[in-house]
């Protein structure tokens, strides 16, 4: 079966797209993500190694489709392809289709056994839905998609269905419809009025635009036509799998177009919740009017325009970095989109063509194409897409500012104030300091505008769409903003101010309590504490980990220092990186894993050779012991960083006692050298090992006498125990950490550790699965380390558990004979 890799600059966006696709195909298709980069201060971006790992994790000879969002995602995907073996490259396809719609369509087609060509075709046609709905609005005639069979057939069987789903045949019900149709050999068509579509194409079905209460006619021709129609009738009777509350009748009472007036209050659109009270400041930047004149030297004007675009690009990147710090990667991704707008050939090439053909100045050429693009967005019916006009104008004005040498007014207020404006661009909003901007009020805009989205992310109450009367307000006038109701109180009296202040205090307290809850310890109801750590890939991940409630770092991957460079990092490079993390962690535990590279993670400055199966080859501790000139400087750097901190060292891929002895011997030599040099380090430094090779479990009792702790890496352990390549979709069911054999080895490892008096943790993906948390606690895990966003949910589960309850769940699971049976036990216990 074809598998899919989702590549995005935003980790949250990638996970969101995967979640949507999983809902549609219910686990039938192997989906992997490669989102963001390991830098919490600037996590928006793409990483070729992440893409490479994602491809390997779902690799299938039936084909791997790589979906990408924008810009460097393509470059990272192309680079990832170069890291693959030649025979693998032939089965990996980069697809130019839109990320969200394309992934949905591809996943559905893959789930019904479509070939890679069929899956790619569906992905590429995914925008047909929007095109068919939006182009008529813009005055462009469209032609419905041609089905692969004639519109009518005398031998056709048919059924008529009334769609009851509240949102019609939207993504999930359409996916079920198409999946069902694809199970049958017959040619199946769907008719809505004069429109016709193939029932086996998600794009064609969605393009029909079937709404609630629409009647459709479904015909089938073929040997199993009756069976196919019966199956479709059955899922239609079941509302295409949606619950009753999801298909409830739409209220017949329309929302009033005009909101009621309130004395002394302007009523607009609630854009960002919360209450703000304070003086206003008017923000009214206005570019000079753009004038057009004839030019003789078009080449010079083109150079001017390119220079302004380059300056705008650098500014947007700087704003993106600021937004990352203030609002996080999901919302900051808006400015990744701004870069796309800026560099879109539809703008740049059109402006260049106009500049040369009409012999006009750069300002006029650029202004003209930007306005035309914005108008095309304004003409769309969808409110969210209409709001994108503001993004185009924001980008366009930024270029014009450079062409016209215009300096916008400052947004750095002296006193905390409420900002009043005609409208705010996303760039304006991203520059706001929440400590200085108490609230936002604008004449224009909507709740789906990117400025509104950023306001919500910044936690600034905002009301938009208040109308032109805002311009009459005077700087310093005290007003109150109600971002929940969409109200602006122009002159609140004392009673109103008191009521609003109480609501503001309540809102601020709720925000504070939410942050505090995330920092609470993970302690069971009967007092058993489980240490919760985060897995990080570099120093910049620390603050994100702490913000999600990490109590320590259970896995600090050090590969980032060694990859993507021409020479090995020096000892000083490493001391700086490890010391930075140790300093930020204070006395919280920090476990640094030594270098884990090999044939699957190439180092440009070392010939690692080609291996038939790099996962069974020269990697991890095996590589490090063979290359002491690489390994010992790292050990010295870790030791030096340990002084005054709660730092621990961990060796990966340990399979034998001899490997532990050799690694500890080299560590002892490094310690001896540092003592002789008078360099301080933690003499009591704890040393642990990863348990990820079955041989390590077999001799866990012996290994436990040589180290201070175990950390179970379930990703590799599962692969090795089940003899199932985690990159092969055909054995994906075997490469599951909830397989009984894997769980028994985890239990055996925990028992061996506790009998030897050492603690045992887990840093594989299973550790961050809340469904598995009771099981892991019951199996005896003392520590769980995971990706930072998973921490709150796992902590919540632990705080709801009793230890005896968890042990009973574990005992039941250890008696199960299949992963499916284990899932039933865990689901029943949730």
């Amino acid at each position: 079966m074809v598998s899919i890799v989702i590549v995005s600059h935003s980790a949250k966006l990638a996970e969101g797209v995967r979640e949507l696709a999983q809902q549609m195909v219910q686990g039938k298709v192997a989906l992997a993500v490669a989102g963001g980069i390991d830098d919490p201060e600037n996590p928006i971006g793409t990483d070729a190694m992440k893409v490479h790992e994602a491809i390997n994790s779902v690799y299938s000879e039936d084909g791997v489709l790589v979906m990408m969002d924008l810009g460097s995602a393509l470059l990272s995907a192309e680079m990832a392809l170069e890291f693959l073996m030649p025979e693998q490259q032939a089965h990996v396809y980069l697809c130019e289709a839109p990320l969200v719609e394309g992934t949905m369509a591809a996943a559905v087609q893959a789930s019904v056994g479509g070939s890679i060509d069929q899956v790619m075709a569906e992905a590429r046609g995914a925008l047909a839905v929007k095109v068919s709905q939006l182009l008529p609005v813009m005055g462009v005639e469209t032609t419905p998609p041609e089905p692969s069979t004639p519109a009518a057939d005398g031998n056709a069987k048919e059924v008529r269905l009334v769609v009851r789903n509240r949102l019609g045949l939207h993504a999930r019900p359409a996916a079920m419809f198409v999946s069902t149709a694809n199970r049958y050999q017959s040619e199946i068509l769907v008719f809505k009025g004069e429109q016709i579509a193939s029932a086996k194409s998600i794009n064609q079905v969605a393009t029909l635009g079937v709404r609630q209460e629409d009647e459709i006619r479904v015909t089938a021709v073929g040997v199993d036509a009756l069976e196919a129609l019966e199956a479709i009738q059955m899922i239609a009777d079941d509302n295409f799998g949606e619950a009753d509350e999801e298909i409830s009748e739409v209220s017949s009472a329309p929302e009033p177009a005009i909101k009621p007036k309130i004395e002394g209050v302007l009523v607009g659109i609630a854009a960002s919740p919360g209450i703000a009270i304070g003086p206003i400041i008017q923000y009214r930047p206005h570019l000079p009017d753009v004038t057009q004149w004839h030019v003789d030297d078009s080449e010079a004007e083109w150079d001017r325009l390119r220079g302004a675009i380059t300056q705008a690009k650098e500014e947007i990147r700087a704003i993106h970095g600021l937004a990352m710090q203030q609002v996080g990667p999901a919302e900051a991704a808006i400015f990744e989109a701004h870069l796309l707008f800026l560099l879109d050939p539809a703008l740049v090439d059109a402006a260049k063509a106009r500049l040369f053909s009409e012999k006009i100045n750069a300002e006029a050429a650029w202004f003209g194409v930007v306005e035309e693009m914005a108008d095309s967005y304004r003409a769309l019916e969808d409110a969210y897409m209409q709001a994108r006009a503001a993004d185009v104008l924001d980008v366009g004005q930024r270029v014009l500012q450079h062409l016209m040498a215009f300096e916008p007014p400052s947004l750095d207020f002296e006193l905390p104030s409420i900002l009043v404006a005609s409208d705010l661009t996303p760039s304006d909003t991203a520059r706001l300091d929440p400590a200085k901007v108490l609230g936002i009020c604008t004449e224009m805009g909507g709740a789906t505008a990117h400025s509104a989205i950023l306001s919500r992310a910044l936690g600034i109450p905002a009301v938009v769409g208040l109308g032109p009367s805002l311009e009459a307000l005077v700087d310093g006038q005290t007003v109150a903003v109600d971002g929940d109701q969409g109200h602006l109180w122009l002159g609140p009296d004392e009673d109103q101010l008191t009521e609003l202040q109480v609501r503001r205090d309540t809102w601020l307290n709720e925000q504070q309590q939410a942050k505090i809850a995330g920092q609470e310890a993970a302690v069971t109801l009967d007092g058993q504490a489980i240490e919760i750590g985060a897995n990080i890939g570099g120093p910049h991940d620390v603050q994100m980990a702490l913000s999600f409630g990490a109590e320590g770092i259970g896995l600090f991957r050090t590969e980032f220092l060694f990859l993507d460079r021409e020479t090995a990092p020096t000892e000083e490079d490493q001391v700086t990186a490890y010391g930075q993390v140790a300093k930020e962690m204070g006395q919280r535990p920090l476990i640094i894993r030594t270098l884990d590279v090999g044939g699957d993670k190439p180092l440009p400055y070392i010939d690692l050779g080609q291996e038939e199966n790099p996962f069974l080859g020269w990697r991890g501790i095996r590589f490090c012991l063979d290359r002491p000139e690489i390994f010992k400087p790292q050990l010295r750097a870790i030791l030096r960083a340990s002084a005054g901190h709660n730092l621990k060292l961990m060796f990966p891929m340990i399979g034998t006692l001899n490997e532990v002895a050799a690694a500890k011997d080299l560590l002892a030599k490094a310690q001896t050298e540092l003592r002789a040099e008078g360099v301080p380090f933690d003499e009591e430094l704890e040393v642990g090992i990863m348990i990820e090779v079955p041989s390590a479990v077999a001799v866990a009792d012996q290994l436990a006498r040589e180290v201070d702790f175990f950390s179970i890496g379930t990703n590799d352990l599962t692969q090795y125990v089940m003899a199932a390549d985690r990159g092969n979709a055909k054995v994906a069911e075997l490469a599951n950490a909830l397989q009984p054999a894997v769980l028994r080895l985890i239990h055996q490892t925990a028992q061996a550790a506790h009998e030897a008096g050492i603690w045992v943790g887990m840093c594989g993906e299973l550790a961050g699965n809340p469904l598995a948390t009771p099981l892991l606690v019951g199996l005896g895990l003392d520590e769980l380390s995971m990706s930072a966003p998973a921490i709150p949910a796992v902590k919540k589960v632990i705080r709801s558990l009793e230890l005896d309850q968890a042990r009973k769940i574990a005992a039941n699971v250890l008696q199960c004979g299949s992963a499916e049976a284990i899932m039933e036990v865990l689901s029943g216990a949730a």
Side-chain angles (χ1 to χ4, degrees):
M1 180 176 288
V2 173
S3 55
I4 299 172
V5 171
I6 302 160
V7 182
S8 172
H9 284 65
S10 166
K12 289 183 179 179
L13 175 59
E15 286 292 349
V17 173
R18 176 164 66 174
E19 182 179 351
L20 280 173
Q22 285 176 333
Q23 287 184 6
M24 295 175 72
V25 300
Q26 299 295 307
K28 295 177 183 176
V29 178
L31 301 164
V33 298
I37 57 177
D38 295 331
D39 181 348
E41 292 185 4
N42 298 285
I44 294 296
T46 56
D47 182 338
M49 292 310 301
K50 280 191 175 184
V51 180
H52 175 256
E53 291 171 3
I55 293 171
N56 272 322
S57 71
V58 295
Y59 179 75
S60 166
E61 292 188 357
D62 291 334
V64 178
L65 190 66
V66 181
M67 305 295 300
M68 303 152 288
D69 56 4
L70 44 88
S72 66
L74 174 58
L75 296 178
S76 294
E78 289 176 335
M79 188 177 298
L81 275 181
E82 295 178 5
F83 294 150
L84 295 173
M85 301 293 286
E87 58 269 24
Q88 288 182 306
Q89 293 178 9
H91 300 288
V92 179
Y93 301 79
L94 307 188
C95 186
E96 76 283 3
L99 181 68
V100 180
E101 296 92 338
T103 302
M104 300 305 107
V108 171
Q109 191 64 37
S111 72
V112 298
S115 67
I116 186 64
D117 289 336
Q118 292 171 327
V119 172
M120 288 185 71
E122 282 296 299
R124 287 167 172 159
L127 282 182
V129 181
K130 287 183 179 177
V131 170
S132 68
Q133 293 177 5
L134 296 180
L135 288 186
V137 176
M138 300 167 63
V140 180
E141 295 185 1
T142 60
T143 303
E146 289 293 335
S148 58
T149 57
D153 189 301
N155 298 319
K157 312 296 181 183
E158 73 171 51
V159 294
R160 292 180 181 269
L161 309 170
V162 175
V163 176
R164 304 287 295 173
N165 301 64
R166 184 172 62 84
L167 297 177
L169 285 184
H170 65 98
R172 283 179 295 172
M176 177 172 284
F177 186 98
V178 173
S179 297
T180 302
N182 272 281
R183 296 206 303 263
Y184 299 91
Q185 298 178 34
S186 296
E187 294 292 342
I188 307 173
L189 302 178
V190 189
F191 297 82
K192 178 194 170 191
E194 295 181 358
Q195 292 178 276
I196 181 174
S198 166
K200 298 184 179 182
S201 167
I202 185 67
N203 287 310
Q204 291 191 23
V205 171
T207 302
L208 289 176
V210 178
R211 308 289 179 87
Q212 187 181 35
E213 300 301 332
D214 281 352
E215 182 181 76
I216 58 175
R217 182 165 60 94
V218 185
T219 67
V221 178
V223 293
D224 53 4
L226 288 176
E227 292 90 338
L229 294 179
E230 287 174 1
I232 290 171
Q233 179 74 64
M234 186 177 299
I235 62 170
D237 292 342
D238 191 38
N239 299 314
F240 299 96
E242 291 196 314
D244 290 341
E245 59 267 23
E246 294 179 284
I247 54 99
S248 59
E249 294 287 343
V250 178
S251 171
S252 58
E255 183 179 346
I258 302 176
K259 296 186 178 181
K261 292 184 177 180
I262 304 173
E263 187 68 29
V265 175
L266 294 180
V267 180
I269 300 168
S272 179
I275 304 292
I277 304 169
I280 70 164
I281 286 185
Q282 291 275 5
Y283 178 69
R284 302 277 171 176
H286 190 269
L287 273 172
D289 291 338
V290 175
T291 57
Q292 178 177 314
W293 64 84
H294 177 81
V295 297
D296 292 321
D297 191 349
S298 296
E299 195 65 48
E301 288 299 295
W302 172 233
D303 287 342
R304 285 183 64 226
L305 180 56
R306 284 191 299 178
I309 290 172
T310 299
Q311 289 176 295
K313 179 172 67 175
E314 294 307 313
E315 285 184 351
I316 292 171
R317 285 176 174 167
I319 293 169
H320 172 260
L322 177 63
M324 286 296 308
Q325 297 173 20
Q326 291 193 329
V327 301
E331 285 75 18
I334 289 167
F335 297 103
E336 291 280 355
H338 277 209
L339 283 173
L340 282 185
F341 283 127
L342 177 66
L343 304 176
D344 185 355
L347 283 178
V348 180
D349 291 352
K352 180 181 180 182
R354 181 172 297 189
L355 189 153
F356 278 89
S357 64
E358 299 180 19
K359 293 289 183 177
I360 59 175
N361 55 308
E363 293 91 338
W366 179 255
F367 177 76
V369 297
V370 167
E371 283 294 321
E372 289 172 5
M373 181 68 73
D375 286 342
S376 70
Y377 277 98
R378 295 188 188 107
L380 302 179
E381 279 189 342
D382 185 87
Y384 181 84
M385 296 306 296
Q386 287 176 351
R388 301 292 70 77
D391 296 287
V392 175
L393 291 174
D394 186 5
V395 169
Q397 289 176 6
R398 184 166 296 284
V399 175
L400 287 173
Q401 286 172 10
H402 290 289
L403 287 171
M404 304 172 79
F406 175 79
E407 186 69 29
S410 172
L411 283 166
D412 186 14
F413 305 150
E414 291 185 10
L415 299 174
S417 305
I418 291 174
L419 178 64
V420 175
S422 173
D423 199 2
L424 284 179
T425 66
S427 299
D428 291 332
T429 311
R431 291 191 291 133
L432 300 180
D433 180 355
K436 296 289 185 68
V437 180
L438 301 174
I440 297 171
C441 299
T442 65
E443 296 174 6
M444 299 183 289
T448 58
H450 277 154
S451 54
I453 295 169
L454 288 168
S455 299
R456 291 192 287 273
L458 287 165
I460 300 176
V463 180
V464 300
L466 285 161
S469 58
L470 285 187
E471 191 170 7
L473 300 182
V474 180
D475 281 2
Q477 176 181 343
T478 297
V479 298
V481 178
D482 183 347
D484 297 302
Q485 302 295 324
H487 293 168
L488 172 62
W489 299 75
L490 298 177
D493 58 30
E494 288 191 13
D495 290 341
Q496 291 169 333
L497 282 174
T498 299
E499 179 188 346
L500 289 166
Q501 187 63 52
V502 169
R503 289 178 57 195
R504 175 172 172 79
D505 292 342
T506 300
W507 171 63
L508 292 172
N509 183 61
E510 288 173 351
Q511 288 186 317
Q512 184 63 26
Q513 290 303 314
K515 292 179 181 178
I516 293 173
Q519 301 298 321
E520 293 179 6
V523 180
T524 63
L525 294 173
D526 47 358
Q528 179 69 33
I530 306 297
E531 187 175 298
I532 301 298
N535 301 336
I536 66 170
H540 298 302
D541 292 341
V542 175
Q543 288 306 312
M544 176 180 286
L546 295 178
S547 70
F548 278 104
E551 299 161 9
I553 300 300
L555 171 62
F556 180 6
R557 303 180 182 95
T558 58
E559 291 74 45
F560 77 100
L561 282 166
F562 293 82
L563 299 172
D564 299 324
R565 55 187 299 157
E566 297 304 317
T567 59
T570 66
E571 183 177 320
E572 294 304 322
D573 290 337
Q574 297 182 67
V575 171
T576 299
Y578 307 150
Q580 180 182 341
V581 175
K583 182 179 180 180
E584 290 190 68
M585 293 302 296
Q587 289 305 307
R588 299 181 186 91
L590 166 62
I591 301 176
I592 299 180
R593 184 182 70 184
T594 58
L595 183 61
D596 185 11
V597 294
D600 64 321
K601 296 177 184 175
L603 296 178
Y605 43 89
I606 292 179
D607 182 10
L608 298 174
Q610 294 291 326
E611 296 180 294
E612 287 295 325
N613 190 337
F615 288 100
L616 297 178
W618 195 43
R619 59 170 298 194
I621 198 66
R622 303 166 183 175
F623 166 81
C624 288
L625 290 175
D626 284 350
R627 301 302 298 260
E629 75 279 10
I630 298 286
F631 194 27
K632 193 162 79 167
Q634 182 178 41
L635 296 178
R636 283 175 55 93
I638 293 172
L639 287 167
R640 289 171 60 185
S642 71
H645 300 289
N646 187 6
L647 193 150
K648 310 174 197 298
L649 182 150
M650 181 165 66
F651 298 123
M653 279 290 292
I654 292 292
T656 69
L657 279 168
N658 287 342
E659 288 171 339
V660 173
K664 288 176 66 177
D665 181 62
L666 196 59
L667 178 65
K669 290 178 180 177
Q671 291 171 322
T672 299
E673 290 175 358
L674 292 175
R675 289 191 195 100
E677 297 166 11
V679 177
F681 62 89
D682 182 5
E683 293 281 359
E684 303 300 322
L685 176 75
E686 289 188 26
V687 177
I689 61 172
M690 293 278 290
I691 300 291
E692 48 193 341
V693 180
S695 62
V697 181
V699 294
D701 56 332
Q702 297 175 319
L703 291 171
R705 294 194 287 268
E706 301 298 326
V707 296
D708 299 302
F709 64 91
F710 288 159
S711 185
I712 302 172
T714 52
N715 300 351
D716 277 339
L717 181 62
T718 301
Q719 176 174 250
Y720 295 139
V721 169
M722 301 306 300
D725 181 357
R726 65 189 186 197
N728 188 336
K730 294 181 179 179
V731 292
E733 292 183 3
L734 291 174
N736 179 351
L738 291 177
Q739 286 286 349
V742 178
L743 296 178
R744 289 191 176 209
L745 293 189
I746 292 172
H747 185 226
Q748 184 178 330
T749 300
Q751 285 182 317
H754 291 157
E755 288 173 3
I758 67 173
W759 62 269
V760 58
M762 177 180 289
C763 59
E765 287 184 19
L766 188 63
N769 183 346
L771 190 66
T773 300
L775 167 63
L776 300 179
V777 172
L779 289 174
L781 276 296
D782 304 298
E783 179 250 21
L784 299 172
S785 188
M786 62 206 70
S787 63
I791 289 173
V794 169
K795 279 190 170 185
K796 183 177 180 181
V797 172
I798 291 173
R799 289 196 291 264
S800 69
L801 279 176
E802 288 187 354
L803 190 56
D804 284 344
Q805 172 194 6
R807 286 171 176 163
K808 288 177 182 177
I809 292 171
N812 289 338
V813 163
L814 291 175
Q815 298 306 311
C816 291
S818 68
E820 292 76 16
I822 290 170
M823 281 295 297
E824 288 183 14
V825 171
L826 297 180
S827 298

